[in-house]
């Protein structure tokens, strides 16, 4: 690595103090890349209110936006693992960091929701290389007894990144806008890539195993077929995004805009009252119609500036509403028709493109005119007495394309494993197929499929939804919710290090078999995670907020320590195929986590809270733990 390294022990296993410092130094450098990895992916969770408002999507739609990242991240875990096993990780690693940083910048510049979805998907491709690369490096430079700690060091970068993101992104977003935050984080990735190349220029121990370059070249034909297969899958997925479904636009559920003065009939809540998005907060009269003003976001009502009986112009400020972004005035410019809807005249034709907020019709009542505004962007399909039907592109989070892509990827990834187990892909002649055939014949691999799926659903829910939960369910302001969401992830950093150190202590000084030591630690971790099932049951108030934060801290510590030990198990299934194993397990885990995001958003949209979601994510790691205790065994057997 640097000039002070004894290159005679470049694999880090000689026990030399100098080599030891070099190996741990590499782990801390990978800690930095992991932190950036999480900052780039988590930034969107910290600007959820702005993104949802700018692009007009609900919580379920935001969940599908998160899924766009998760799908590509899941798919490319496998080719990432294959490439890391066969190419020089010293070069693959910084190339991946530079690529995902460029895509993060692209997300900040996205002019439309479709472009943002595409940038998030491409971001997932680059970020998929981080864990296979880092685990490949630790398996090369650390002996088995130190790998849990080495994994804990670099994996703790995820927790640090999750801490730094809420401390920086909300401030940048509030002062400069959410797009600037994306640009800043993307730029940091290029700094890391340059640093890695400069500090590792003399390292040769990270090259792949298996003989000469000529041997690697012969194996590349199989790798090429695998990569082309993934490319074909992505192409099919993109085609699936173009699949469309009709989205109904009804007068009774859409925004209407009056052209003349309206009379405030009554307020539907008192100042300080907590309201949910879409809940009525005021009622107005327009001719024979009653119009309702809805809360634009979860939040609480503020000062009421207009008394009932007064007439106000459309768009006039009538009161204050405190949402996650801070105080914002309520206006009568955006309402929902409640009762007394008159005849509708549609102003669009089939085949016409409409945008969110565009006038698509008029309501006439008592000489008054109310404009009907679209709540979706799309192509007009048909008109009827009830509303306008739009064809919304599948790339849109409200479309069905992403659902189809998720299902297709799930069938492909799981089906490929089952096929390899049944028909023996190792006989097909390509090295990647033989590797996959060997891996799927190991009983322990299937156990880790369950472990990976369950813990990833839990961890990624915290990463993607914790700020939103604190802002909407607990009523915290935007900056406060962002800052407090950093606390559980700071605790998770402690969990990463403590989890690896605890299993090392049990295996080293107390003589417990390493696998059993890890399972003992993971049992305690699962107990901590299960405390999160009570988060949604804690009452409001200052004391309740403290209890919730305490439960979230315990949950994060347990999840992080659990994952640190899980990674060590991954390195023991088939050591020759560590990259492939970690890639496939990571892909499946992230696939399940990606599929859970819109489910969590849907529950929030329907119930108005995340209570049921916390019960699921708090208890689901117990399933993986049970599989580990029951199926791992003492032998390596298949």
């Amino acid at each position: 690595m640097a000039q002070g390294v004894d290159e005679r022990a470049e694999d880090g296993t000689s026990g030399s103090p100098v080599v030891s410092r070099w190996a741990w130094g590499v782990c801390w450098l990978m800690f930095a890349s992991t932190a950036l990895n999480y900052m780039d992916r988590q930034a969107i969770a910290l600007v959820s209110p702005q993104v949802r408002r700018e692009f007009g999507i609900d919580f379920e739609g935001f969940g599908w936006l998160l899924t766009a990242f998760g799908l590509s991240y899941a798919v490319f875990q496998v080719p990432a693992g294959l490439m890391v096993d066969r190419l020089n990780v010293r070069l693959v690693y910084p190339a991946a960091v530079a690529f995902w940083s460029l895509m993060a910048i692209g997300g900040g510049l996205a002019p439309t929701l479709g472009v943002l979805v595409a940038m998030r998907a491409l971001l997932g491709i680059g970020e998929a290389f981080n864990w296979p690369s880092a685990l490949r490096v630790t398996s090369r430079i650390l002996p088995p007894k130190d790998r849990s700690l080495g994994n804990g060091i670099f994996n703790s970068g995820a927790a640090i990144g999750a801490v730094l993101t809420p401390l920086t992104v909300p401030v940048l977003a509030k002062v400069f806008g959410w797009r600037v935050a994306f640009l800043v984080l993307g730029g940091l990735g290029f700094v890391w890539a340059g640093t890695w190349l400069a500090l590792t220029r003399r390292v040769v121990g990270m090259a792949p195993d298996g003989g000469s370059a000529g041997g690697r070249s012969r194996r590349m034909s199989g790798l090429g077929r695998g990569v082309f297969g993934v490319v074909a899958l992505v192409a099919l997925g993109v085609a699936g995004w173009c699949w469309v479904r009709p989205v109904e636009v009804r007068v009774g559920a859409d925004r209407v805009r009056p052209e003349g003065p309206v009379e405030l009939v009554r307020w539907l809540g008192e100042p300080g009252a907590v309201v949910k998005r879409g809940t009525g907060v005021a009622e107005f009269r327009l001719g024979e119609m009653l119009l309702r003003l809805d809360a634009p976001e979860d939040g609480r009502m503020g000062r009421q500036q207009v008394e009932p009986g007064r007439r106000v112009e459309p768009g006039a400020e009538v009161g204050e509403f405190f949402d996650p972004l801070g105080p914002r005035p309520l206006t009568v410019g955006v309402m929902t028709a409640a009762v007394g809807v008159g005849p509708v005249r549609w102003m669009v034709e089939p085949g016409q493109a409409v945008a969110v907020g565009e006038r698509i019709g008029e309501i006439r009542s008592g000489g008054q005119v109310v404009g009907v505004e679209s709540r979706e962007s799309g192509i007009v399909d048909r008109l009827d007495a009830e509303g306008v039907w739009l064809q919304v592109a599948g790339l849109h989070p409200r479309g069905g394309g992403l659902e189809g892509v998720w299902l297709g990827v799930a069938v492909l990834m799981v089906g490929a494993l089952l096929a390899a187990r049944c028909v023996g892909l190792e006989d097909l002649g390509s090295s990647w197929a033989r590797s996959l055939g060997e891996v799927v014949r190991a009983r322990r691999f299937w156990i880790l499929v369950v472990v990976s799926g369950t813990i990833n659903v839990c961890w990624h829910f915290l990463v993607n939804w914790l700020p939103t939960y604190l802002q909407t369910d607990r009523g915290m302001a935007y900056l406060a919710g962002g800052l407090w969401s950093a606390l559980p992830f700071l605790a998770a950093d402690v969990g990463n290090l403590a989890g690896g150190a605890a299993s090392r202590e049990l295996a080293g000084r107390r003589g417990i078999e390493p696998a059993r030591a890890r399972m003992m630690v993971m049992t305690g971790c699962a107990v901590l995670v299960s405390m999160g099932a009570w988060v949604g049951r804690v009452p409001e108030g200052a004391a309740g907020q403290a209890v919730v934060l305490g439960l979230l801290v315990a949950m994060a510590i347990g999840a992080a320590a659990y994952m640190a030990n899980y990674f060590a198990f991954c390195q023991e299934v088939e050591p020759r195929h560590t990259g492939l194993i970690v890639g496939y397990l990571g892909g499946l885990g992230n696939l399940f986590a990606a599929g859970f995001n819109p489910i969590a958003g849907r529950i929030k949209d329907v119930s108005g809270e995340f209570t049921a979601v916390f019960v699921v994510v708090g208890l689901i790691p117990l399933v993986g733990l049970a599989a580990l205790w029951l199926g791992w065994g003492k032998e390596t057997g298949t």
Side-chain angles (χ1 to χ4, degrees):
M1 186 174 174
Q3 292 183 351
V5 174
D6 181 359
E7 296 187 2
R8 292 172 301 173
E10 64 194 10
D11 62 355
T13 60
S14 70
S16 146
V18 175
V19 171
S20 178
R21 286 196 297 271
W22 165 73
W24 297 121
V26 170
C27 291
W28 285 108
L29 188 59
M30 295 188 299
F31 158 91
S33 71
T34 305
L36 288 174
N37 184 284
Y38 253 73
M39 294 181 76
D40 283 322
R41 77 171 63 177
Q42 193 191 5
I44 198 166
L46 273 299
V47 295
S48 169
Q50 295 98 318
V51 171
R52 285 186 287 112
R53 178 173 296 139
E54 179 172 336
F55 295 110
I57 55 177
D58 55 15
F59 289 103
E60 182 181 1
F62 185 74
W64 281 113
L65 177 59
L66 297 173
T67 296
F69 168 88
L71 277 173
S72 62
Y73 187 82
V75 170
F76 277 85
Q77 290 277 308
V78 178
L82 288 169
M83 292 178 69
V84 166
D85 278 346
R86 289 161 172 77
L87 302 177
N88 192 327
V89 71
R90 176 184 175 267
L91 301 178
V92 172
Y93 205 167
V97 175
F99 179 81
W100 91 55
S101 299
L102 183 62
M103 296 306 104
I105 293 174
L109 300 175
T112 65
L113 181 59
V115 174
L116 179 59
V117 171
M119 291 298 103
R120 294 294 299 177
L122 292 171
L123 178 73
I125 293 176
E127 292 205 359
F129 284 80
N130 187 75
W131 267 261
S133 297
L135 286 166
R136 179 66 174 174
V137 171
T138 58
S139 71
R140 297 299 303 271
I141 66 175
L142 295 175
K145 70 182 183 66
D146 290 328
R147 288 174 187 167
S148 286
L149 182 57
N151 294 340
I153 289 175
F154 88 75
N155 192 54
S156 65
I160 289 297
V163 170
L164 293 177
T165 309
L167 295 179
T168 56
V169 169
V171 177
L172 289 171
K174 194 170 182 65
V175 176
F176 302 106
W178 67 271
R179 296 177 181 275
V180 172
F182 280 40
L183 300 180
V184 171
L185 294 181
L188 293 175
F190 289 96
V191 175
W192 185 93
T195 302
W196 171 274
L197 291 173
L199 296 181
T200 61
R201 62 185 181 278
R202 298 183 60 189
V203 175
V204 296
M206 297 183 193
D209 294 321
S212 66
R216 290 196 300 272
S217 177
R218 289 193 296 272
R219 290 196 299 270
M220 284 295 291
S221 60
L223 174 63
R225 288 195 298 272
V227 172
F228 287 138
V230 172
V231 172
L233 170 65
V234 174
L236 290 174
V238 172
W241 287 349
C242 297
W243 181 81
V244 295
R245 67 177 176 86
V247 176
E248 184 178 13
V249 179
R250 291 182 183 272
V251 174
D254 293 310
R255 296 177 294 185
V256 298
R257 181 180 296 276
E259 295 185 348
V262 293
E263 176 188 349
L264 175 61
V265 177
R266 59 173 177 152
W267 289 99
L268 302 178
E270 299 295 328
V274 176
V275 294
K276 297 295 183 181
R277 180 186 184 187
T279 302
V281 296
E283 197 173 76
F284 296 84
R285 186 183 305 279
L286 175 65
E288 300 173 358
M289 288 187 298
L290 289 179
L291 304 177
R292 191 182 70 236
L293 176 60
D294 291 343
E297 281 289 345
D298 294 352
R300 58 187 177 86
M301 296 178 64
R303 181 169 55 96
Q304 298 170 352
Q305 299 171 237
V306 177
E307 297 293 331
R310 294 278 302 276
R311 293 176 66 81
V312 294
E313 294 290 335
E317 184 176 315
V318 296
E320 289 182 334
F321 177 80
F322 295 88
D323 72 1
L325 295 179
R328 298 177 62 88
L330 285 177
T331 71
V332 298
V334 177
M335 303 184 200
T336 298
V339 295
V341 176
V344 176
R345 179 176 73 90
W346 299 120
M347 304 170 63
V348 293
E349 298 178 353
Q352 180 178 338
V354 298
V356 174
E358 181 177 341
R359 175 175 290 199
I360 59 175
E362 291 180 347
I363 301 171
R364 296 183 180 276
S365 177
Q368 300 281 358
V369 176
V370 178
V372 181
E373 298 180 349
S374 175
R375 59 177 163 84
E376 296 286 350
S377 297
I379 306 297
V380 177
D381 180 54
R382 59 188 174 87
L383 310 173
D384 58 28
E386 297 180 331
V388 174
W389 295 73
L390 300 180
Q391 291 289 337
V392 178
L395 186 61
H396 192 292
R398 292 293 296 270
L402 286 174
E403 299 177 36
V405 174
W406 187 90
L407 289 172
V409 171
V411 170
L412 182 68
M413 294 188 70
V414 177
L417 291 178
L418 294 176
R421 184 65 179 86
C422 295
V423 304
L425 287 180
E426 70 276 8
D427 296 328
L428 296 181
S430 58
S431 62
W432 73 268
R434 289 195 302 272
S435 298
L436 185 62
E438 292 175 9
V439 167
V440 297
R441 278 163 173 71
R443 181 190 72 253
R444 292 179 170 181
F445 172 79
W446 294 97
I447 294 170
L448 293 182
V449 168
V450 180
V451 177
S452 175
T454 54
I455 192 59
N456 272 283
V457 165
C458 174
W459 177 254
H460 286 287
F461 170 76
L462 292 177
V463 171
N464 291 319
W465 293 103
L466 183 55
T468 301
Y469 165 74
L470 294 176
Q471 293 159 3
T472 60
D473 287 31
R474 306 306 304 185
M476 293 186 181
Y478 177 63
L479 285 179
L483 292 173
W484 281 114
S485 70
L487 183 61
F489 295 114
L490 181 61
D493 191 46
V494 176
N496 272 302
L497 299 177
S503 62
R504 188 186 188 206
E505 171 72 16
L506 291 176
R509 297 189 180 181
R510 304 196 179 184
I512 299 176
E513 194 266 330
R516 184 175 181 83
R518 294 189 204 113
M519 286 188 280
M520 292 172 64
V521 172
M522 292 171 73
T523 300
C525 295
V527 173
L528 290 175
V529 174
S530 68
M531 296 173 68
W534 297 97
V535 167
R537 304 293 181 180
V538 179
E540 299 287 341
Q545 301 285 54
V547 171
V548 164
L549 289 173
L551 292 174
L552 291 172
V553 164
M555 191 178 186
I557 290 175
Y562 189 108
M563 292 181 73
N565 284 277
Y566 151 74
F567 283 137
F569 279 116
C570 294
Q571 293 169 309
E572 295 183 357
V573 176
E574 288 285 347
R576 292 181 300 125
H577 307 308
T578 297
L580 174 62
I581 292 168
V582 173
Y584 221 112
L585 289 174
L588 289 172
N590 282 277
L591 176 70
F592 299 143
F596 188 73
N597 279 324
I599 295 175
R602 177 69 172 174
I603 293 173
K604 171 65 174 175
D605 284 328
V606 173
S607 68
E609 57 188 20
F610 285 107
T611 299
V613 183
F614 271 102
V615 174
V616 174
V617 299
L619 299 180
I620 197 171
L622 294 172
V623 177
L625 180 67
L628 202 58
W629 275 106
L630 294 174
W632 191 259
K634 295 182 178 181
E635 302 297 330
T636 309
T638 60

